[in-house]
Amino acid sequence: MRDTRESRLLLVLLIAVAFALITVDIRGGANSPVDGARQAAAAVFGPVENGVAAAVDPVGNAIGAVRDSGKRHDKISTLQAENEALKQKLGSDARNRSRLNQLDSMMKTAGEGQYGIKAAQVVAIGAAQGFSWTVTIDAGSNDGIKRDMTVLNGDGLVGRVTTVGPSTATVLLANDPDFTVGTRMENSDELGFATGHGDRPLSVQLLNGKAKVNPGDRLVTFGSQADKPFVPGVPVGEVVRVDPSGGALTRTIYVRPFVGFTKLDIVGVVVQAPRTDPRDEVLPAKPKPTPTPTVTVTATPSPNGQGNTNIADQNANPDGNLVPNGNPNPPAANANPPAANANPNPPNPPNPNGDPNGNANADGDQ
């Protein structure tokens, strides 16, 4: 249809008629004059619409499934992320409990020694400086950490700070072969120098070659001048072996450190030394020895002179079996048979004159 004046006039007329019918239909309500025409159109075009819808719906559903697949994938990804977060939370709860226990133990140690500490976490093992036994902690100069500060945890001496950065620091561990610390024996106060040997016990050179040392004796740090690099009283370890002195001026002992250097996590850097030497106050209490049960053997004399031996209210027969309340010894003959009564006064010597009383006449007459 070409765009002419007549076609435009016809279009305007159709629009006007449509608006007029709409107005009449709305005003008529249920009694609209065009209701019959609407019903007739529905009767004619309704089946056609249903048929077209039945043919088009599968295609529409497929298109909708493709369109919604992204949403489903996003939902699955969200659920998976939530599950992973839940797993991490459950795992982190156990880890957090472990860290909390380590922190509590370290704070107890710091409190007993009156150490001012800065808590830190081990974030790396080893360092670029080439030390064989070092760790990196997440505290540095911005946290008040300086070189040659003592590092400890809840068990005892960890090491000393060797390198400090703005937010990290390197700690030389006490088991490194280049590590040396002055030590003092518990109770005896014998002094020495401990040196690390990697995963083996520390070796301690005692200054007194005649010092009396036994396995199980414990050592603490002696302390350094101006408390750097070591503050006094930090637990070091327990003696496991003592070498004979052999008349030497010094004596070597071997000490198992209290700290497990392969499982470090929460540590503390001593930023303030104690006012007084805590001596042995920081050492943990020694475990009480378990009492060993003992068996008491008692002998009960019997009227006939035989002994009745009871061992924990049970007796053994000759076959080795325990017989309750029995006599462990079979009846035996009396070891001391009755003896004849002897006259305590010795008999009179015989009288050469035959007098039974042994009297002799002064003049020798019978």
Side-chain angles (χ1 to χ4, degrees):
M1 183 176 181
R2 293 187 301 175
D3 186 12
T4 61
R5 183 177 181 181
E6 290 78 6
S7 61
R8 292 178 182 176
L9 184 60
L10 178 61
L11 178 60
V12 172
L13 180 62
L14 291 176
I15 294 174
V17 172
F19 275 107
L21 292 175
I22 293 171
T23 303
V24 172
D25 186 30
I26 293 174
R27 290 182 176 274
N31 299 321
S32 175
V34 297
D35 186 56
R38 183 188 298 112
Q39 294 179 359
V44 173
F45 294 106
V48 177
E49 291 177 350
N50 292 334
V52 174
V56 174
D57 280 347
V59 178
N61 293 336
I63 296 174
V66 173
R67 185 181 62 252
D68 296 338
S69 62
K71 296 181 180 179
R72 293 193 180 94
H73 183 270
D74 294 341
K75 187 175 182 179
I76 293 174
S77 300
T78 302
L79 293 176
Q80 290 176 346
E82 291 177 354
N83 290 337
E84 289 298 327
L86 181 59
K87 291 179 181 179
Q88 292 178 2
K89 182 179 179 180
L90 293 176
S92 63
D93 287 345
R95 187 177 181 184
N96 289 336
R97 284 194 296 269
S98 175
R99 289 180 175 178
L100 182 60
N101 293 335
Q102 294 181 50
L103 183 61
D104 287 343
S105 178
M106 184 177 68
M107 296 304 295
K108 180 180 178 181
T109 299
E112 291 174 346
Q114 299 299 311
Y115 307 125
I117 64 172
K118 170 64 179 179
Q121 182 180 355
V122 174
V123 295
I125 299 175
Q129 288 80 0
F131 298 122
S132 56
W133 288 89
T134 59
V135 295
T136 302
I137 60 176
D138 62 350
S141 58
N142 295 337
D143 304 293
I145 307 301
K146 298 180 181 179
R147 180 183 170 88
D148 287 336
M149 283 186 169
T150 306
V151 182
L152 53 78
N153 66 3
D155 297 323
L157 179 66
V158 173
R160 63 181 176 87
V161 177
T162 57
T163 306
V164 181
S167 59
T168 61
T170 301
V171 178
L172 180 66
L173 301 181
N175 63 337
D176 187 272
D178 293 333
F179 187 94
T180 302
V181 58
T183 60
R184 180 176 57 79
M185 296 288 300
E186 180 186 15
N187 298 327
S188 68
D189 293 337
E190 294 288 350
L191 302 181
F193 294 95
T195 303
H197 291 281
D199 55 356
R200 294 176 294 170
L202 309 176
S203 64
V204 179
Q205 201 81 12
L206 294 179
L207 301 181
N208 182 6
K210 298 180 181 180
K212 295 182 179 180
V213 185
N214 298 311
D217 292 345
R218 302 181 296 180
L219 296 86
V220 297
T221 56
F222 178 68
S224 306
Q225 185 176 6
D227 298 316
K228 287 187 177 182
F230 302 109
V231 295
V234 181
V236 175
E238 183 180 53
V239 176
V240 294
R241 183 162 63 91
V242 180
D243 281 355
S245 61
L249 297 178
T250 61
R251 190 171 193 178
T252 302
I253 61 176
Y254 296 91
V255 175
R256 180 178 62 246
F258 290 127
V259 173
F261 298 104
T262 59
K263 52 182 180 181
L264 294 173
D265 189 7
I266 303 298
V267 298
V269 182
V270 181
V271 295
Q272 183 177 357
R275 295 183 178 179
T276 59
D277 187 349
R279 307 291 292 180
D280 303 332
E281 293 297 327
V282 188
L283 285 170
K286 287 187 176 181
K288 296 182 180 180
T290 304
T292 303
T294 57
V295 178
T296 304
V297 180
T298 59
T300 304
S302 60
N304 58 3
Q306 298 175 355
N308 183 15
T309 304
N310 297 326
I311 303 178
D313 295 334
Q314 291 182 340
N315 299 307
N317 60 16
D319 296 333
N321 299 322
L322 295 178
V323 180
N325 300 325
N327 192 343
N329 301 319
N334 196 338
N336 300 317
N341 295 328
N343 189 353
N345 298 321
N348 295 326
N351 190 349
N353 298 324
D355 188 350
N357 297 324
N359 298 322
N361 295 328
D363 55 0
D365 294 336
Q366 301 292 329

